[in-house]
Amino acid sequence: MRSVLAVGAHPDDIELGCGGTLAAHRAAGDSVTMLVVTGGQNGPGDIDGRRREAEAAARSLDCLLIWGSLRDCEVAPDLATIALIERAMADVGADVVYVHAPDDSHQDHRAVAAATVSAARHSLRVLHYRSPSTTRFEPTVFVDISAHLARKIDALSCHRSQVENSAMVDPEVVAASARHFGAQARVRYAESFVPGRFVWDLTPPPALPQLIEVPAYIEAAA
């Protein structure tokens, strides 16, 4: 079982970027934690409402949600941000980390990406997801979310303040994006990632103990 940490600057960033993949991780039995670095104070909706929306979305994906204490539009890739992400990684024992792509027009996304790269400098698997504000993105890793697209859209629908005020969270746009990357990946629907680092562990799982068949005559004698 893997321990997954997904890091986002604002409520709904993670669901947009890798919500289907997180649902796939949970279906595979992995533990998944979402770290939202800010409360989204400068986006549509009040902070308490956005917190409730994010908590509902995390429940719909069956993920643990951790809140950071940084302010929207004021995130810097400094020691405090790196320490926040390092603590989350240590607390959950993360061995897979998802985070924003570094080439992004939103300064918070860039800062969180940079801080996560520093915090995860010893991690074996760091994958960057795409946001609507990402400027350059050339994915080479894809996750088939054909069985999980509905859960991604359900999670996003919990962010009502964003759905009602932003075309970027429109379910049709989300589905079209997944279909686009699915075509690239040769599956129906996919999410795509740029690997910051990806070590593929091909160690075979431990062999199951062999059952010794007891001859019938020994069973009868017993």
Side-chain angles (χ1 to χ4, degrees):
M1 185 181 76
R2 292 167 289 261
S3 177
V4 177
L5 178 67
V7 186
H10 314 103
D12 88 357
D13 283 344
I14 294 171
E15 294 89 329
L16 272 171
C18 60
T21 297
L22 300 189
H25 273 294
R26 290 297 296 130
D30 298 337
S31 64
V32 180
T33 303
M34 301 163 64
L35 169 61
V36 180
V37 171
T38 79
Q41 294 91 339
N42 288 312
D46 64 88
I47 188 170
D48 291 334
R50 295 204 70 181
R51 181 179 288 266
R52 289 192 296 270
E53 290 172 350
E55 290 169 351
R59 285 194 299 271
S60 75
L61 291 170
D62 193 26
C63 298
L64 176 67
L65 176 62
I66 300 176
W67 287 99
S69 57
L70 306 182
R71 286 192 59 81
D72 189 0
C73 295
E74 297 179 12
V75 182
D78 57 14
L79 183 60
T81 307
I82 295 169
L84 169 67
I85 298 166
E86 283 180 329
R87 284 195 301 272
M89 291 180 61
D91 288 345
V92 304
D95 49 29
V96 183
V97 179
Y98 295 97
V99 69
H100 292 281
D103 293 311
D104 198 285
S105 61
H106 197 300
Q107 69 275 15
D108 284 354
H109 294 182
R110 295 195 304 271
V112 169
T116 300
V117 168
S118 295
R121 58 195 175 277
H122 300 303
S123 298
L124 299 182
R125 287 176 289 273
V126 181
L127 294 163
H128 297 283
Y129 58 77
R130 176 183 175 275
S131 297
S133 53
T134 299
T135 54
R136 185 166 64 89
F137 191 71
E138 298 176 359
T140 54
V141 174
F142 300 86
V143 175
D144 185 350
I145 64 164
S146 301
H148 308 288
L149 178 61
R151 287 194 68 189
K152 172 176 179 155
I153 292 174
D154 286 346
L156 283 168
S157 70
C158 295
H159 294 276
R160 293 178 182 174
S161 64
Q162 310 308 299
V163 174
E164 294 171 358
N165 292 282
S166 174
M168 295 184 295
V169 198
D170 186 310
E172 291 184 0
V173 175
V174 173
S177 175
R179 184 69 189 97
H180 167 74
F181 289 116
Q184 291 188 24
R186 309 300 190 265
V187 298
R188 183 64 179 170
Y189 295 108
E191 286 177 338
S192 58
F193 303 92
V194 173
R197 185 180 304 108
F198 188 87
V199 178
W200 194 2
D201 185 359
L202 296 179
T203 304
L208 294 174
Q210 290 186 334
L211 297 177
I212 300 175
E213 186 174 346
V214 180
Y217 67 87
I218 294 181
E219 291 181 354

